[in-house]
Amino acid sequence: MKQLFRSLPAVNACLNALDTRLPVSREAPRSLVRHLVNGFLDAQRCRIQEGAVTDPAQLALPGCLPALQDFVDEGLRPRLRSVLNATGVVIHTNMGRSVLAEAAREAVARAAAGYTNLEIDLSTGERGSRHSLVEELLCMVTGAEAGLVVNNNAAAVLLMLDSLCKGGEVIVSRSQLVEIGGSFRIPDVMERSGATLREVGTTNRCHLHDYRRAIGETTKALLRVHSSNYRIIGFFKEVSLPELLQLGREHGLPVIEDLGSGNLIDFSPFGLPGEPTVQSVVAAGVDLVSFSGDKALGGPQAGIIAGRRVYVEQLRANPLHRALRIDKLTLAALEATLRLYLDPQTALAQIPTAAMLSQPPIMLMRRARSLATRLRRALAQTVQISIAKNVSRVGGGAFPEYDLPTSLVCLRPATCSVEDLKRLLLRTSPPLIGRLEDGAFCLDPRTLSDKELPLVVRVVQQALRQEKGTP
Ligand SMILES: *Cc1c(COP(=O)(O)O)cnc(C)c1O
């Protein structure tokens, strides 16, 4: 083993060898390349200790150079990368949820490239508010009297409860005490806000009299939480928003709704269930409603609050608001996205999330066929390709468990297992993420743009070539 450790090259020898083989490493910061070389040598030491290498020639230069070069190459690439989403899950939190519309991407690039009037009122030259930039648009689109934007919807819930319910009680149905994922639990957020949670009803049933009975001296608000990621079926009852609003009015209590995924478009004509839109909740008279910017709305990560001015002003005056404020890039993207909603047809055509959710099955079948044809041409006999009817998912806790009909392109490689193919496709550039169904690696065209289809063909080809050991 001592002999093996001694075969490891010196760091400087590695750096010199890389310089001759890998011109990019010469442009990269020297400190980073050195750090990566050290990382590579550490990994080699571990392998020696584990008994994974016994051949000194594999450890020494030039034998180790190809592996070193791959390691350094990988380390020099950005960590946050574009990936191809072929899972069919439209709002995929692990893949960054919504893809921004072109208008939003351009707005971000403009705001990033120079100074902006973020907090300057151009009509007076005096200090302005960043929030006024989107409030008017938000009111036009939702029909609300006032609006406010923070970092994300979890922050919006926190700000609403902290501003209106601190030191008091907020009443919520037991069936709505949800965990959204990524350990965001409604009860935990409430606790942070300093409001006491008053649970009413049972897991599956909650009546108006349950709320009524719970109202007391310290009650500050009534809260509804949208069951975004689960569904209770069978013997189930929950109190409707109008009923709750009526009760709130009787007792002078605000009614707050966490809508989760804020739909500004009714997707029911496209085969999705009739979820309440933000506009309908506002029109019903809710005092405050909050929703995410990057779920069904298809914009940047943000928490949007709309409702009555008196309450929005209380939120605005809360010091927590400053800690949760959004940045100029998000504001730029949000403004451009909301502007598209002024005409719902434009929103459906230009906002990728909305377009993906509303794609008709016949179109998906056509796109699946086109992708299958290209793949067959490129891959010949190395993989068996078929098309299967299946379903896509909305994801992101929007439209719980709802299936959207789609057509999948199914790959069954001849030279490796589907698990191997899945693993190899994580290492292509860009990586391709699909799903395994019925012993095949499947691609759902719903979440791939037309521009991405040739790229899909290229990376599948790349993965299968690697599998055969001819990189
Ligand atoms: C997704 C969701 C949240 C959290 O929203 P983020 O924008 O991810 O912070 C909160 N409440 C409900 C009901 C949700 O569906």
Side-chain angles (χ1 to χ4, degrees):
M1 200 178 273
K2 224 181 217 164
Q3 164 79 37
L4 288 174
F5 278 120
R6 248 187 250 127
S7 341
L8 285 173
V11 174
N12 281 333
C14 291
L15 289 171
N16 291 339
L18 283 172
D19 278 347
T20 57
R21 286 276 303 243
L22 190 71
V24 293
S25 76
R26 248 178 274 157
E27 281 152 38
R30 208 64 189 155
S31 57
L32 177 55
V33 180
R34 185 177 283 276
H35 172 79
L36 291 166
V37 168
N38 275 318
F40 176 79
L41 293 174
D42 283 345
Q44 295 290 71
R45 284 188 196 100
C46 287
R47 292 180 62 217
I48 296 172
Q49 240 143 20
E50 287 163 4
V53 261
T54 49
D55 177 10
Q58 254 185 30
L59 293 165
L61 283 168
C64 72
L65 192 53
L68 172 64
Q69 187 172 331
D70 283 350
F71 188 90
V72 172
D73 256 349
E74 177 66 22
L76 291 178
R77 293 170 63 202
R79 290 289 194 275
L80 183 64
R81 294 178 199 162
S82 298
V83 302
L84 295 164
N85 174 8
T87 62
V89 180
V90 178
I91 305 167
H92 202 303
T93 299
N94 300 354
M95 288 191 241
R97 291 197 183 156
S98 284
V99 176
L100 295 181
E102 195 176 341
R105 300 198 298 262
E106 284 168 3
V108 171
R110 271 196 308 275
Y115 291 107
T116 61
N117 64 329
L118 185 63
E119 293 191 347
I120 294 175
D121 181 344
L122 292 178
S123 61
T124 61
E126 302 292 313
R127 168 137 198 204
S129 155
R130 69 178 66 208
H131 304 289
S132 61
L133 297 173
V134 287
E135 188 179 10
E136 195 183 342
L137 199 48
L138 203 53
C139 293
M140 279 178 75
V141 169
T142 61
E145 220 172 74
L148 192 70
V149 183
V150 289
N151 213 357
N152 53 36
N153 190 30
V157 173
L158 178 65
L159 182 63
M160 293 192 297
L161 297 180
D162 189 273
S163 308
L164 304 186
C165 309
K166 207 185 186 105
E169 280 187 355
V170 54
I171 303 176
V172 64
S173 163
R174 233 173 224 123
S175 67
Q176 297 173 354
L177 290 174
V178 299
E179 173 172 316
I180 302 301
S183 345
F184 172 64
R185 284 184 171 169
I186 281 289
D188 295 345
V189 172
M190 293 181 163
E191 205 172 284
R192 282 284 153 176
S193 73
T196 307
L197 189 63
R198 181 73 187 268
E199 300 169 32
V200 295
T202 60
T203 307
N204 61 327
R205 295 186 62 89
C206 185
H207 305 273
L208 192 61
H209 60 246
D210 291 322
Y211 286 91
R212 195 188 301 277
R213 239 180 265 147
I215 294 175
E217 298 250 298
T218 55
T219 307
K220 302 277 192 176
L222 310 176
L223 174 72
R224 268 167 63 92
V225 182
H226 188 62
S227 58
S228 297
N229 50 6
Y230 69 103
R231 206 163 34 174
I232 302 177
I233 52 169
F235 195 50
F236 176 64
K237 171 165 182 0
E238 104 186 318
V239 174
S240 73
L241 180 60
E243 286 176 288
L244 206 58
L245 284 166
Q246 177 63 33
L247 184 67
R249 300 285 177 271
E250 284 168 24
H251 292 84
L253 293 170
V255 174
I256 303 171
E257 172 131 21
D258 169 10
L259 206 47
S261 180
N263 295 7
L264 290 174
I265 288 180
D266 177 12
F267 284 101
S268 58
F270 306 101
L272 282 158
E275 287 280 300
T277 59
V278 176
Q279 296 92 318
S280 72
V281 171
V282 168
V286 78
D287 294 293
L288 288 177
V289 56
S290 78
F291 50 99
S292 296
D294 54 355
K295 289 186 180 172
L297 194 136
Q301 178 189 305
I304 303 172
I305 300 164
R308 288 191 199 286
R309 183 159 298 282
V310 288
Y311 297 118
V312 171
E313 289 308 329
Q314 284 184 54
L315 268 52
R316 217 187 288 279
N318 187 336
L320 198 52
H321 176 218
R322 170 64 181 78
L324 304 174
R325 82 176 182 191
I326 64 168
D327 75 299
K328 62 177 178 180
L329 302 184
T330 306
L331 263 173
L334 188 62
E335 185 189 7
T337 307
L338 288 174
R339 208 176 283 280
L340 295 172
Y341 277 102
L342 293 174
D343 174 28
Q345 284 313 316
T346 307
L348 274 172
Q350 295 187 15
I351 297 174
T353 302
M356 287 177 196
L357 289 177
S358 58
Q359 263 182 98
I362 178 85
M363 188 61 131
L364 289 160
M365 168 61 97
R366 238 178 260 155
R367 298 184 62 228
R369 280 203 190 117
S370 150
L371 178 59
T373 306
R374 290 172 205 230
L375 284 165
R376 273 192 202 106
R377 244 182 247 142
L379 301 169
Q381 305 302 317
T382 51
V383 54
Q384 188 211 322
I385 297 164
S386 59
I387 291 179
K389 291 225 156 108
N390 207 300
V391 291
S392 317
R393 280 281 160 87
V394 178
F399 299 100
E401 301 304 301
Y402 196 78
D403 295 340
L404 289 162
T406 193
S407 298
L408 300 180
V409 178
C410 308
L411 309 181
R412 290 181 176 82
T415 51
C416 65
S417 71
V418 285
E419 285 81 11
D420 285 339
L421 179 60
K422 180 181 166 179
R423 194 177 35 76
L424 287 164
L425 283 166
L426 290 176
R427 302 191 48 84
T428 53
S429 145
L432 170 71
I433 300 172
R435 52 197 245 220
L436 299 182
E437 298 267 357
D438 291 334
F441 183 81
C442 300
L443 311 170
D444 189 333
R446 184 185 297 275
T447 44
L448 294 164
S449 69
D450 284 334
K451 261 203 334 246
E452 286 173 333
L453 296 185
L455 214 52
V456 170
V457 176
R458 211 187 68 206
V459 299
V460 173
Q461 217 170 5
Q462 196 184 330
L464 289 169
R465 229 185 282 134
Q466 255 166 32
E467 196 279 324
K468 281 194 279 180
T470 50

